């Protein structure tokens, strides 16, 4: 029996230097540091933007103590508890996003149900309490690489976040109070979707695992998408297979976002893999958590690229196996958000210049009420959702002539490796992923990867001893 999930609670990142990521989340991406847990051997900081919550975990590396200086001052004293609460230490060699935490109504019941159908639990049901109440959690290992899922019950807790964390007030950025005015200029409200990068031919196994254990169902990216093949992008050197899944909207146990409007989209999960004829087979490290049936091999070194690998292959090489490639942040105003983040130092992938001059694209952008030059300036893509309204009863409107639009832009990787990045997405009635945008979005990522590969090869030639 599938676990009964209530909503997505937070997503955890594990990094070697939490201060660097904390500074960027606050100063560049305009998240608010609202809660923290500091011990002698670990550091956990919680950041919030709307209902989107990141917990950034830092741990000692090879016996080195945690960084003592921080650009963002919390004013919280350390405690003695060495545990990484509500998660597990992934013992991973690179920075990684590795835990998607869900709220459940009953952790013990979920634990028994999932264990009975073969789930591997890394942490059994555990209670943590303070003067504000009790929280129960467990951690289950997913089928995808180093990704885990914390199942948590906060119904008996009245604090601002979780026991063991202390509320952070008067957060400062280089000594200057963080402005709350960014709520209007950068209106990110929740996590829209999570994308996994996986080895080839793994999608059916991943889909089956999430359907069986968490009740997810298929979501078709394109109206003409093949049931077995998924959405295939195979053109101009880009060979990708994308398959999406979501919680069944009619299910009483579906993931519920904290909105009063039931028409808000669920957080979807997307599986990305390269096509069999793209690049080379990626060899994975012997220590990786692999999908069943995959043989481990040798991990490519940092910044080492296969000659013809695409961005999914690059992720697998540099990350050391399958995992979370990017997370979509839903914003109510993508132009303002991208402009605010861009001014703060966030770098975005640029689509091919011809995108904005394609036949019909300029008119499409203007019909949606946007200036093509403005979207081009911030690398934002726009797509008209051509699906018939009647295919999704929850999206019915009295204005049958009203068109639905989707706007998207990718950030460049936020870790030192070319792995994890973020996406800004605004949905003006659209429920899909912008079939017309997908090619340009992924091509922009591919162009960046090709440039980085060329730089690496040039550096290698420059360091080769002459004979």
């Amino acid at each position: 029996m599938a676990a009964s999930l209530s909503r997505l609670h937070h997503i955890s990142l594990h990094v070697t230097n939490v201060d660097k990521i904390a500074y960027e989340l606050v100063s560049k991406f305009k998240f608010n540091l609202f809660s923290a847990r500091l011990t002698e051997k670990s550091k956990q900081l919680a950041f919030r933007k709307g209902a989107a919550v990141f917990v950034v975990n830092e741990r000692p590396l090879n016996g080195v103590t945690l960084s003592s200086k921080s650009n963002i001052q919390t004013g919280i004293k350390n405690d003695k508890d060495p545990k990484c609460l509500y998660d597990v230490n992934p013992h991973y060699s690179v920075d990684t996003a590795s835990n998607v935490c869900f709220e459940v109504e009953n952790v013990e019941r979920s634990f028994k149900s999932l264990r009975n159908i073969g789930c591997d639990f890394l942490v059994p049901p555990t209670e943590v309490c303070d003067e504000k109440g009790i929280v129960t959690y467990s951690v289950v290992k997913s089928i995808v690489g180093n990704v885990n899922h914390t199942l948590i019950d906060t119904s008996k807790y009245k604090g601002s976040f979780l026991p063991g964390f202390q509320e952070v007030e008067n957060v400062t950025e280089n000594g200057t109070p963080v402005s709350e005015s960014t709520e209007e200029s950068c209106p990110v409200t929740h996590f829209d979707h999570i994308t996994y990068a996986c080895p080839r031919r793994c999608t059916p196994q991943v889909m089956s695992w999430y359907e069986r254990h968490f009740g997810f169902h298929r979501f078709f990216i394109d109206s003409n998408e093949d049931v077995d093949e998924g959405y295939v992008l195979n053109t101009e050197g880009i060979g990708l297979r994308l398959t999406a899944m979501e919680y069944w909207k009619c299910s009483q146990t579906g993931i519920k976002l904290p909105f009063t409007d039931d028409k808000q989209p669920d957080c979807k999960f997307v599986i990305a893999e390269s096509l069999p004829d793209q690049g080379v087979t990626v060899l994975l490290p012997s220590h990786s958590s692999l999908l069943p049936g995959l043989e481990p091999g040798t991990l490519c070194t940092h910044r080492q690229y296969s000659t013809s690998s695409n961005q999914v292959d690059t992720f697998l090489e540099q990350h050391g196996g399958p995992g979370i490639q990017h997370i979509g942040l839903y914003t109510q105003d993508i132009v303002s958000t991208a402009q605010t983040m861009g001014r703060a130092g966030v770098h975005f992938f640029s689509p091919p210049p011809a995108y904005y001059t394609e036949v019909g694209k300029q008119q499409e952008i203007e019909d949606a009420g946007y200036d093509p030059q403005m979207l081009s300036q911030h690398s934002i893509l726009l797509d008209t959702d051509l699906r018939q309204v009647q295919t999704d009863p929850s999206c019915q409107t009295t204005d049958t002539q009203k068109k639905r639009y989707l706007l998207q832009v990718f950030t460049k990787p936020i870790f030192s490796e070319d792995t994890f990045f973020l996406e800004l997405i605004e949905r003006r009635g659209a429920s899909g992923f912008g079939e017309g945008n997908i090619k340009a979005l992924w091509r922009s990522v591919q162009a960046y990867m090709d440039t980085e590969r060329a730089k690496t090869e040039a550096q290698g030639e420059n360091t080769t001893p002459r004979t």
Side-chain angles (χ1 to χ4, degrees):
M1 186 175 103
S4 178
L5 306 178
S6 298
R7 72 179 184 96
L8 197 158
H9 187 269
H10 70 263
I11 296 175
S12 288
L13 312 180
H14 286 264
V15 301
T16 55
N17 187 344
V18 73
D19 293 330
K20 177 180 181 296
I21 299 300
Y23 176 78
E24 293 189 351
L25 283 176
V26 171
S27 66
K28 295 183 179 181
F29 292 96
K30 306 307 176 182
F31 274 71
N32 296 315
L33 172 60
F34 72 98
S35 194
R37 178 179 178 272
L38 308 179
T39 75
E40 293 180 349
K41 296 184 179 180
S42 67
K43 181 183 294 186
Q44 296 175 273
L45 304 181
F47 302 83
R48 176 183 288 137
K49 189 72 174 165
V53 175
F54 281 118
V55 174
V56 183
N57 305 275
E58 182 181 59
R59 59 191 183 278
L61 188 61
N62 298 326
V64 178
T65 58
L66 290 168
S67 53
S68 58
K69 296 182 179 180
S70 175
N71 288 322
I72 300 176
Q73 307 298 323
T74 63
I76 294 179
K77 297 181 179 179
N78 291 349
D79 62 47
K80 301 291 185 180
D81 193 344
K83 293 181 180 179
C84 179
L85 283 178
Y86 314 108
D87 206 342
V88 295
N89 189 330
H91 298 291
Y92 225 62
S93 59
V94 297
D95 291 350
T96 182
S98 61
N99 190 302
V100 180
C101 175
F102 295 111
E103 283 198 32
V104 297
E105 295 179 356
N106 188 306
V107 172
E108 187 69 38
R109 185 169 63 230
S110 298
F111 170 75
K112 292 179 179 178
S113 297
L114 293 175
R115 186 180 58 177
N116 287 340
I117 55 178
C119 270
D120 181 13
F121 275 84
L122 305 178
V123 178
T126 303
E127 285 190 353
V128 185
C129 63
D130 62 18
E131 67 279 3
K132 296 180 180 179
I134 300 173
V135 164
T136 307
Y137 79 97
S138 63
V139 181
V140 60
K141 180 172 174 45
S142 84
I143 192 176
V144 179
N146 69 337
V147 177
N148 302 316
H149 294 295
T150 295
L151 306 180
I152 194 166
D153 177 9
T154 63
S155 62
K156 299 178 181 179
Y157 190 68
K158 304 302 181 183
S160 62
F161 188 50
L162 296 170
F165 281 77
Q166 298 183 42
E167 190 171 349
V168 175
E169 297 180 354
N170 299 321
V171 178
T172 61
E173 174 190 325
N174 288 338
T176 303
V178 176
S179 174
E180 296 182 358
S181 63
T182 57
E183 295 300 322
E184 295 182 2
S185 62
C186 194
V188 170
T189 60
H190 63 274
F191 294 124
D192 181 87
H193 63 275
I194 298 167
T195 296
Y196 291 148
C198 292
R200 298 164 196 160
R201 296 178 293 275
C202 293
T203 295
Q205 292 170 284
V206 176
M207 292 283 295
S208 176
W209 192 92
Y210 277 93
E211 179 177 358
R212 184 184 184 197
H213 298 94
F214 291 152
F216 278 81
H217 285 243
R218 179 72 170 272
F219 176 85
F220 289 94
I221 295 175
D222 183 80
S223 56
N224 297 319
E225 178 180 335
D226 186 270
V227 174
D228 297 320
E229 293 298 319
Y231 180 80
V232 176
L233 179 59
N234 190 10
T235 179
E236 300 179 22
I238 303 176
L240 294 170
R241 186 191 319 280
L242 302 176
T243 310
M245 50 188 175
E246 65 173 346
Y247 231 72
W248 187 239
K249 291 186 178 182
C250 296
S251 172
Q252 295 181 349
T253 61
I255 297 175
K256 300 175 183 177
L257 293 169
F259 292 96
T260 57
D261 183 0
D262 293 335
K263 296 180 181 179
Q264 286 289 344
D266 294 334
C267 181
K268 300 177 176 66
F269 284 66
V270 181
I271 307 162
E273 63 176 65
S274 60
L275 298 179
D277 57 349
Q278 273 284 310
V280 297
T281 299
V282 178
L283 298 178
L284 303 177
S286 58
H287 65 267
S288 290
S289 297
L290 303 174
L291 291 163
L294 297 177
E295 295 297 329
T298 303
L299 175 63
C300 294
T301 59
H302 176 57
R303 295 287 185 184
Q304 180 177 344
Y305 297 86
S306 301
T307 302
S308 57
S309 62
N310 65 24
Q311 57 264 39
V312 173
D313 295 329
T314 298
F315 177 94
L316 296 174
E317 292 168 359
Q318 296 211 10
H319 185 256
I324 298 174
Q325 184 212 35
H326 78 267
I327 293 172
L329 301 176
Y330 181 90
T331 175
Q332 296 173 328
D333 187 339
I334 195 170
V335 174
S336 178
T337 301
Q339 186 175 53
T340 300
M341 290 184 178
R343 288 174 177 172
V346 174
H347 297 286
F348 298 99
F349 286 117
S350 298
Y355 172 85
Y356 300 96
T357 59
E358 290 177 355
V359 176
K361 177 57 67 176
Q362 181 172 339
Q363 186 63 49
E364 180 184 8
I365 293 173
E366 292 175 347
D367 288 345
Y370 290 93
D371 177 4
Q373 186 175 356
M374 176 63 74
L375 295 191
S376 175
Q377 180 181 346
H378 300 294
S379 303
I380 297 170
L381 305 182
L382 180 144
D383 186 59
T384 302
D385 190 342
L386 299 178
R387 302 183 187 206
Q388 295 297 320
V389 173
Q390 57 265 28
T391 62
D392 186 355
S394 67
C395 297
Q396 287 184 355
T397 175
T398 56
D399 184 4
T400 58
Q401 300 302 317
K402 184 177 180 180
K403 293 183 179 180
R404 300 178 294 176
Y405 300 98
L406 184 75
L407 297 99
Q408 301 161 280
V409 62
F410 283 161
T411 74
K412 291 185 177 179
I414 65 174
F415 296 154
S416 58
E417 296 79 19
D418 289 330
T419 52
F420 178 69
F421 56 91
L422 298 174
E423 174 185 349
L424 299 180
I425 184 168
E426 179 185 350
R427 298 179 181 277
R428 294 179 56 186
S431 60
F433 287 98
E435 296 88 339
N437 285 352
I438 289 176
K439 184 184 300 184
L441 278 168
W442 288 89
R443 190 180 294 155
S444 67
V445 179
Q446 188 64 49
Y448 171 81
M449 298 299 178
D450 290 343
T451 300
E452 293 299 297
R453 184 184 306 115
K455 290 180 181 178
T456 301
E457 293 172 351
Q459 292 172 358
E461 292 177 357
N462 292 335
T463 57
T464 304
R466 296 183 180 181
T467 57

